[in-house]
Amino acid sequence: MQPVARSLRRKPTVMSRLARFAWLPLCFVLVGCHVDMYDQPKYRPNRPSDFFEDGRSMRPPVENTVAMGSFEADSALFTGRLNGELAVELPMELTAELLERGQTRYDAFCAPCHGLAGDGNGVIAYRGPMEVPTLHSDRLRTVAIGYYFDVITNGVNRMYSYAHRIPPEDRWAVAAYVRALQLSQNVDADTLTAEERALLGGP
């Protein structure tokens, strides 16, 4: 019976033999690990340095260089000004799509204070103690359109900057929509055609 028992014993396969030595590559990997990259000599933010003359480890940008993605060739588009003066025209074509985009951005960011109609009766103004100016005053209806871009970018009085929330193209879209709001509330009836008056329910 003993020879029969030996004959029933399973012979080791190639995979089983390889499995016995599978731990060897792991050992080589562990031996090769080191912390040179973690412990490399480097300066941490705002640490002093004896290498530079000014004693600072953080270096200022190189002169006459522009960070990638920050090149603003069109002054009017990115600053709302042309030759130092507020732009009086849009730096892009006025289209229905631009006004629609301006309306969505206005409703999201401006209407809570200025109201959907621009009359200064938004939810924030209604619930809060501050008074929000109407966009239909004579002064705001006659300012350069670049004024609205500048206010959205830099803020004014209690209004903070929206520069990090609204990109430049959308700021111009909002400015264009504000102009459309102003025209919608301050149109001379004599300039309307009969069809336009009929649409408004007038004689």
Side-chain angles (χ1 to χ4, degrees):
M1 296 299 294
Q2 190 172 1
V4 175
R6 279 200 297 265
S7 64
L8 295 176
R9 187 178 299 171
R10 180 178 296 177
K11 294 182 179 181
T13 63
V14 175
M15 294 301 297
S16 62
R17 291 176 180 175
L18 292 176
R20 296 178 183 178
F21 302 97
W23 56 272
L24 286 176
L26 180 60
C27 291
F28 287 116
V29 171
L30 294 176
V31 171
C33 288
H34 49 79
V35 293
D36 290 350
M37 291 295 292
Y38 180 79
D39 292 332
Q40 61 179 302
K42 59 182 179 294
Y43 286 112
R44 297 189 180 277
N46 299 318
R47 293 293 178 86
S49 170
D50 296 331
F51 182 80
F52 300 102
E53 293 182 358
D54 58 6
R56 298 183 303 171
S57 60
M58 299 182 67
R59 310 312 305 150
V62 179
E63 293 184 5
N64 301 320
T65 59
V66 179
M68 183 176 294
S70 301
F71 182 61
E72 301 176 351
D74 191 333
S75 175
L77 177 63
F78 291 99
T79 67
R81 295 178 178 272
L82 192 61
N83 298 324
E85 300 294 332
L86 291 172
V88 296
E89 296 180 352
L90 287 172
M92 71 272 291
E93 182 182 1
L94 178 61
T95 63
E97 291 76 13
L98 183 70
L99 290 177
E100 290 175 359
R101 179 65 179 177
Q103 181 179 12
T104 60
R105 299 298 86 193
Y106 176 91
D107 291 350
F109 294 104
C110 309
C113 289
H114 291 283
L116 292 174
D119 52 10
N121 293 323
V123 175
I124 302 299
Y126 178 76
R127 294 183 177 180
M130 63 180 181
E131 181 178 352
V132 179
T134 174
L135 299 176
H136 302 290
S137 66
D138 292 339
R139 182 183 72 85
L140 292 180
R141 285 193 296 110
T142 56
V143 296
I145 194 170
Y147 170 81
Y148 295 103
F149 181 95
D150 184 76
V151 168
I152 297 172
T153 303
N154 302 307
V156 63
N157 298 329
R158 294 185 180 182
M159 175 181 166
Y160 51 78
S161 168
Y162 282 84
H164 295 291
R165 299 170 177 84
I166 308 177
E169 291 80 1
D170 284 353
R171 290 175 227 165
W172 281 115
V174 171
Y177 180 70
V178 168
R179 275 287 187 256
L181 274 181
Q182 293 170 337
L183 289 173
S184 70
Q185 303 295 317
N186 298 276
V187 175
D188 186 353
D190 294 335
T191 63
L192 300 178
T193 64
E195 294 179 354
E196 291 171 337
R197 292 181 183 180
L199 289 174
L200 295 174

